[in-house]
Amino acid sequence: MFKLGISSSCFYPVETEISFDKVCLTGCKYAELFICAPSELEEAFVKQIKEKADSAGVQIIAVHPFTSFMENTFLFSPYIRRFNDSIPLYKRYFEICRLFGANILTLHGAKDICSIPDEEHFRRFALLSDIGREYGVTLCQENVVHFKAQTADYLERMSNAVGENFGITLDIKQARRAGADAQDIIDRLSPFIKHIHLSDFNDEKDCIPPCSGKYNFEALFSKLKSVGYDGGLIIELYNHSYKEESEVKDSFNALNLMLNL
């Protein structure tokens, strides 16, 4: 069964603990947590979020690190010492995932101007992925525009190189921005898709709340059912994607009704 939920990113740049409160108030049962600052890696903060989740009956199923914008430099530059020195930070992310009971950590990864060979990119991703497995976490590559993995072709090459530990976070809006077909990615890489970000679009904006625009969610859900997908379906928006915060809850309710969950 799909795990329909909401990302705390929908309310960024409100502080993470307040954003998560807003997620919990929607009535969803699953959530993605964006960690947005170094202090949010500390034990006291993680415990605070876990207590909020438990109290609201919300399962955090995925974590998104605040270091996404630095991954090209931290993890995938020619300077190997920087990669090695970054491993403890990502171990901490994996540890936090385990504490939450989340099994997904999403990477933006290497930019399309990455200066290391693809084979070295794959090797480093595989090493981090193996570490994640030790914590019960799947490291997922997101298909972000202007990054190496924005196309199905590159994701397919990564999956072949990394192997069974490879995971994908499929983002619908990012596929649209990159000129990629989300359903083509599903057709070609469904065994590796572990997490999905949902949004909608119209003629003016490429990211608005689901069920308020032109995107065919019924076709998407039919395709996902046909390949046996049973992971997260997480509404991931920006605070400029809507006028009123209530639109986030409304979109969740509309999807919930459509899926008959």
Side-chain angles (χ1 to χ4, degrees), residues 15 44 46 83 95 98 111 113 173:
E15 290 88 347
V46 173
F83 169 76
E95 185 178 39
R98 183 168 63 185
K111 291 186 176 180
I113 57 170
K173 66 181 170 297

mmCIF file of all heavy atoms in Angstrom, residues 15 44 46 83 95 98 111 113 173:
data_model
loop_
_atom_site.group_PDB
_atom_site.id
_atom_site.type_symbol
_atom_site.label_atom_id
_atom_site.label_comp_id
_atom_site.label_asym_id
_atom_site.label_seq_id
_atom_site.Cartn_x
_atom_site.Cartn_y
_atom_site.Cartn_z
ATOM 1 N N GLU A 15 11.065 27.324 10.983
ATOM 2 C CA GLU A 15 11.963 26.395 11.670
ATOM 3 C C GLU A 15 11.438 24.964 11.585
ATOM 4 O O GLU A 15 10.231 24.726 11.605
ATOM 5 C CB GLU A 15 12.120 26.809 13.141
ATOM 6 C CG GLU A 15 12.912 28.088 13.339
ATOM 7 C CD GLU A 15 12.050 29.339 13.275
ATOM 8 O OE1 GLU A 15 10.886 29.228 12.827
ATOM 9 O OE2 GLU A 15 12.536 30.409 13.670
ATOM 10 N N ALA A 44 19.448 16.250 21.226
ATOM 11 C CA ALA A 44 18.273 16.856 21.851
ATOM 12 C C ALA A 44 17.232 17.246 20.815
ATOM 13 O O ALA A 44 16.021 17.067 21.034
ATOM 14 C CB ALA A 44 18.678 18.088 22.666
ATOM 15 N N VAL A 46 16.867 15.935 17.705
ATOM 16 C CA VAL A 46 16.318 14.709 17.115
ATOM 17 C C VAL A 46 15.288 14.083 18.057
ATOM 18 O O VAL A 46 14.211 13.640 17.625
ATOM 19 C CB VAL A 46 17.458 13.715 16.801
ATOM 20 C CG1 VAL A 46 16.894 12.374 16.341
ATOM 21 C CG2 VAL A 46 18.387 14.293 15.737
ATOM 22 N N PHE A 83 35.919 14.011 0.583
ATOM 23 C CA PHE A 83 34.924 12.933 0.600
ATOM 24 C C PHE A 83 35.084 12.084 1.855
ATOM 25 O O PHE A 83 34.111 11.815 2.569
ATOM 26 C CB PHE A 83 35.077 12.056 -0.643
ATOM 27 C CG PHE A 83 34.278 10.782 -0.593
ATOM 28 C CD1 PHE A 83 32.904 10.793 -0.796
ATOM 29 C CD2 PHE A 83 34.900 9.569 -0.315
ATOM 30 C CE1 PHE A 83 32.158 9.621 -0.737
ATOM 31 C CE2 PHE A 83 34.163 8.387 -0.253
ATOM 32 C CZ PHE A 83 32.782 8.418 -0.463
ATOM 33 N N GLU A 95 22.288 7.517 11.061
ATOM 34 C CA GLU A 95 21.941 7.216 12.451
ATOM 35 C C GLU A 95 20.617 7.872 12.834
ATOM 36 O O GLU A 95 19.769 7.252 13.498
ATOM 37 C CB GLU A 95 23.056 7.700 13.376
ATOM 38 C CG GLU A 95 22.849 7.339 14.837
ATOM 39 C CD GLU A 95 24.013 7.795 15.702
ATOM 40 O OE1 GLU A 95 24.550 8.898 15.454
ATOM 41 O OE2 GLU A 95 24.390 7.043 16.614
ATOM 42 N N ARG A 98 17.753 5.970 11.377
ATOM 43 C CA ARG A 98 17.468 4.771 12.171
ATOM 44 C C ARG A 98 16.697 5.124 13.444
ATOM 45 O O ARG A 98 15.756 4.410 13.827
ATOM 46 C CB ARG A 98 18.770 4.048 12.511
ATOM 47 C CG ARG A 98 18.565 2.745 13.289
ATOM 48 C CD ARG A 98 19.836 1.924 13.362
ATOM 49 N NE ARG A 98 20.891 2.615 14.088
ATOM 50 C CZ ARG A 98 22.145 2.143 14.205
ATOM 51 N NH1 ARG A 98 22.473 1.011 13.624
ATOM 52 N NH2 ARG A 98 23.052 2.817 14.885
ATOM 53 N N LYS A 111 26.568 17.393 -9.509
ATOM 54 C CA LYS A 111 26.002 18.293 -10.506
ATOM 55 C C LYS A 111 26.433 17.875 -11.915
ATOM 56 O O LYS A 111 27.377 17.103 -12.090
ATOM 57 C CB LYS A 111 26.429 19.729 -10.225
ATOM 58 C CG LYS A 111 25.804 20.311 -8.972
ATOM 59 C CD LYS A 111 26.140 21.782 -8.811
ATOM 60 C CE LYS A 111 25.425 22.372 -7.608
ATOM 61 N NZ LYS A 111 25.731 23.816 -7.424
ATOM 62 N N ILE A 113 28.019 19.506 -13.896
ATOM 63 C CA ILE A 113 29.377 20.000 -14.181
ATOM 64 C C ILE A 113 30.416 19.284 -13.312
ATOM 65 O O ILE A 113 31.553 19.731 -13.213
ATOM 66 C CB ILE A 113 29.471 21.516 -13.954
ATOM 67 C CG1 ILE A 113 29.051 21.868 -12.514
ATOM 68 C CG2 ILE A 113 28.632 22.285 -14.957
ATOM 69 C CD1 ILE A 113 29.340 23.315 -12.133
ATOM 70 N N LYS A 173 8.197 17.041 -10.190
ATOM 71 C CA LYS A 173 8.478 18.376 -10.724
ATOM 72 C C LYS A 173 9.879 18.456 -11.313
ATOM 73 O O LYS A 173 10.104 19.144 -12.320
ATOM 74 C CB LYS A 173 8.281 19.455 -9.660
ATOM 75 C CG LYS A 173 9.236 19.408 -8.496
ATOM 76 C CD LYS A 173 8.944 20.510 -7.490
ATOM 77 C CE LYS A 173 9.746 20.305 -6.201
ATOM 78 N NZ LYS A 173 9.370 19.039 -5.509
#
